[in-house]
Amino acid sequence: MPEFVKAAKVSDLKEDMGVLAIVNNVEVALFLVEGSVYAIANKCAHKGGPLADGHLLGMDIICPWHGMKYDIRTGKAAPDAWNKTFSVASFETKIEGEDVLIKM
Ligand code: FES
């Protein structure tokens, strides 16, 4: 059964930058945008590029390897992505005190 697991501290995150967390042996890319936290799988569906290292443009993360673009709210391809069928897992998040939790 999915449960919320601590992924990071709020202070580990920076606005508009990705942070890599390893949660239950899964690489998760965390993003803080306007005070809200979003979590998606770190590995790009194309060839596994590290999405936490990508460039964040609004709510879209651009894979640093070949430019695939995902919506960090859903993990789905952004409307103008070069491949509309790619997607990565997204995870529900919540903040409790100093901790960022994600539902795994
Ligand atoms: S690995 Fe991400 S676009 Fe190729």
Side-chain angles (χ1 to χ4, degrees), residues 44 46-49 63 65-68 82:
C44 177
H46 180 221
K47 293 194 175 178
C63 178
W65 285 5
H66 316 99
M68 179 60 200
W82 57 258

Side-chain angles (χ1 to χ4, degrees), residues 9-82:
K9 287 183 173 286
V10 175
S11 56
D12 295 335
L13 305 183
K14 289 191 184 134
E15 276 283 335
D16 300 324
M17 287 194 56
V19 169
L20 173 65
I22 313 283
V23 186
N24 292 352
N25 293 320
V26 176
E27 289 189 11
V28 177
L30 301 171
F31 303 94
L32 179 66
V33 180
E34 294 181 1
S36 294
V37 179
Y38 302 89
I40 60 174
N42 186 52
K43 287 190 177 175
C44 177
H46 180 221
K47 293 194 175 178
L51 298 179
D53 294 341
H55 179 65
L56 190 64
L57 206 59
M59 300 306 272
D60 294 337
I61 185 70
I62 301 170
C63 178
W65 285 5
H66 316 99
M68 179 60 200
K69 200 187 273 189
Y70 300 91
D71 187 321
I72 60 169
R73 295 166 292 192
T74 63
K76 292 186 166 50
D80 58 345
W82 57 258

